Structures are given as structure tokens and as C-alpha cells.
Amino acid sequence: MILGALVFAALSQGSDTLDMLAGSLKSPKESERVSAVQRLGKLDVKEAWLLLVGALADTAPRVADEAELQLTKCELPEVIEELSGKSGLASSDPWIAVHAAGALTGGKDPTLPALEAALATKHDAARIVVFSALERAAGDIRASGKVAKSIQSALEKAIQPLGKGGDVQAAALLALAALEPAKIADWLARADSKQSAPHLCALIHLAGPETSDAAQKLMLLGSTHPERAVRAATVAALAAHPNGGRLTVLVDTFAAEKNTRLFWTIDGHLERLSGLAGGGKIDFWKGWVAKLGPDWKPVTGDPRRFAPAGDTAAPKLAGMPILSGAVAILIDLSGSTWEKRSDGTTVKERLDKELETALRALPETALFNVIPYTNEPIPWEKKLQPATPANVGKALKFFTSCKASGKGNFWDAAMLALEDRDVDTILVLTDGAPTGGRRWHIDLMRDRFLEENRFRRVVLDAVLVDASKFLRGKWQEWCEATDGRMHEIMIPK
């Protein structure tokens, strides 16, 4: 009898807790909704998980991101089904679909039923999330011997017609290649310059570790392609899988490269691989590569981690060299930007001066845009503009007169910058803590940015103002994943 009473009390307490947390999800206070999401995940019962599916629709990014992260731990069929329906992948809101796709595929070992369910989404951004997850999970799927025909069929359909389409098709191609690597040789053999830029970027990535004649031919094609993104993908593949022959192609690409950012990216890769300081000198690298013997080995390991000196005479924004002739400058006007320091000035006044110094130093041939942001991005112009004295003056007048304040919506500002196909570098000046827009969790934001940018290959540079050690590490990792850099400054209080 005592045991029965204890069980009844425990069940009642659990029910009360669930009801209480369901109520907290409706609280007007964002912090209470976040806490409710975290506590619901700890309950680990079906009813709690279903409430978390509903929380994906929360307009506060911190709540929706936290719900997505919690749901990655759930494998219940009923919850997978709910995530596949109108509350998730089938929602008319693409952001809810993206969160649902992340919830289904974002765990360390997403299940086959979850991956199959995620393929049903019709939203392009969510499809890229799913295809990227399938690519990551492909090794485990193949090892299990349970490659679902439905997954193969969906990917085959997604890449048709072969060689056409944009980022979604390219992401599907890489996922299918990871599941069925036997297809790669045929795809490489059929590659030609008429195929779309995202498709070629995907194929060049696949050609990186290959040694066939078709792979080498594709590298040569990519190194001279008119699209900067294709050349950048080729540079990344050559640097990630170097040998004497490929380094010769890399140096030849360097000698012919007219894009400022890619020129210095190649120089950085060569410095990392050689352990030498080339300083952007073409003859130096030609002489170096001509002397390489068959036993040459790179000096350093991880091809993603390098900090090239770059052009030491380049214009600088708060100490960060602007190694680009096509840069979108994003400036965070949230938080402490408007607080007065001990000398009576604000950080914004300091930024006014830093921006003026940087823009007036740009050559007139450079293209630039200035996009301050708070709750929303506030672009100076819709597209990059030449850095003529008149345009620089207009941009500075626009920025110094900007009095906007609010949260720091980096995500929307970055996505706006990516819409301009001429941009090759995003340079952001921020305190490092994104607080607005549809993304809050910095790891989720980084992963989604890298997926969106994979076939654009825009470099991200960041200047962090008074940021914590934790945020500096996160931004450094993010920037380096794009061949960019993080620079930190501290402004006296």
C-alpha cells in the first residue's frame, strides 16, 4: 500500500511538472521559455518531446535553437513522425523546417528512420541541412550494410539533371558520393566547363584525394575557371592533398589569379605547406616549386588552420588587414556599442574613426559595402560599390549618422551580404555574441553558415571587440573554416 502511494505521488509529480513546463513555454519571458525547453529535454518522455517540437516555432532564436538541440537526443518514432509533419518539415515556415531538419539529423549518430523522414522536406535550406547530414553519416550507414533504397532514390532524383542546378543539387551529389563512392570516377570523367559552378565545386572536392587522370584534368579546369568560387574550391582541394604536381598547378594559379582575396589565400596555403614566407612574390614560389623533389612532404598538418601574413600594406579595419577587393563590412551596433567609456566617448565614435581610416585607404578599384546591423541589417547600398572618394564619403556619412540600437542580428546581415554574388569577403566587427535574428546558438549558426557558403566560398574575417575567451575560440574556428581570420581588440572601459 505504501509502495502504491509512492508510485502515485511520483506520477502525479511528473504530470504536474509537465503541465507546469507546458505553461512556461507560453511565458512572455524568453528566459523562462528557454529554461522550460531545457527542463523538458531532461524529462525524456514522449509528451515532453512533443512539446519541444512545438517550441521550434518560437520566434525567439534562443528558444527555437535550444529546442532543436534538445530534440537531437530523441529517437522515438512518434516524435520523428511529428517532426516530419506540419509542425516540422512540412511547415509553411522554412525556418521551422530547418529547425526540424536539424533536430532529426543533428545528433552524433542520427538514425536511418530520422534521416529518411528528413528527406521529405520541400524547403531548400532544410534540404541542404539533410544532405550535409547524410554526407557526414554515410560511413556509418555503409558500414551497417543498411543503405536504404529510399535514401538512394531521393538523392538520385535530387541531382538530376546531372551537372545542372545550384547548392541543393551539389549538396545532394556529395551525399550520394559518400554513400556510393563507386560513382565518383564516372562523374569526374564526365566533368566539363559547361556544368554549373556549384556542381563543379562539389566534383572538385571529390577529386581532391583522387589520383586519376580525370581528377588531374578537373583540377586544371577548375584552376582557370572564370567563376571565383570554382577556382577557390580548386585551391582548397590542391592545398588539402598536395604533391609536387599539384603544387605546380597551385603556383600557376597563384601567378594568374586576379582576385585579391584568393591571391592571398593561395599565398597563405603555400606558406603553411612550405614553412617559408613568400610575401605574395610569384617568382619566389615558382623558384620553390621548381626545386621540389619526389620525397617532398608538407611542413604542417591540418590544411584548414593557417594564419597568412597577407598583404602587410593592405588597408586595415581596427587592425584587421582587408585582404579583399570585394568586401562587405558588417558592423554590430548592439550592446555596449553605445555605452560611454571613461573618456566620455562611446565605442560607436571609435568605430566611426576606424571605418574612416579603412575606407579612405581602399584603392578606387576595390568594391565595398557597409552593413551595420541591430535587430535587422541596415545596408548602405544593395550591392558592392567602387571605393571612389565620392562613394567613400557617402558611406562614411551614412555610418556616422546611423543611430540604430537593439539586438545583434548577425545571421540576417551575413545572409544579406551573401546575396551579392560579387562579395568574396565578409568582414564583421562585433562583440562576438549574436543576439537577434533566427539563430542564437553560435555552433548552429556556424554550421548553417558553412553549409550555405560551401559552394560560394566567401571568406569570413572577424574583429572581436572585448569578447570572452569562449567566443574568441568559437569565432576563430568559424573564420578558419572559411580560410579567414579572427582578430581581437580591447577598448578601455
Side-chain angles (χ1 to χ4, degrees), residues 18 22 70 107 180 197 199-200 248-249 272 294 305 331 440 462 465 488:
L18 193 63
Q70 292 294 333
E180 299 186 66
H199 185 84
L200 285 174
T248 298
V249 176
R272 174 186 56 79
R305 297 185 66 85
I331 302 180
W440 175 83
V465 182
E488 57 183 292

Side-chain angles (χ1 to χ4, degrees), residues 149-171:
K149 289 185 178 180
S150 60
I151 291 178
Q152 291 173 303
S153 167
L155 293 174
E156 288 280 6
K157 183 178 179 181
I159 67 172
Q160 300 303 325
L162 194 65
K164 305 294 182 181
D167 294 3
V168 175
Q169 289 82 356

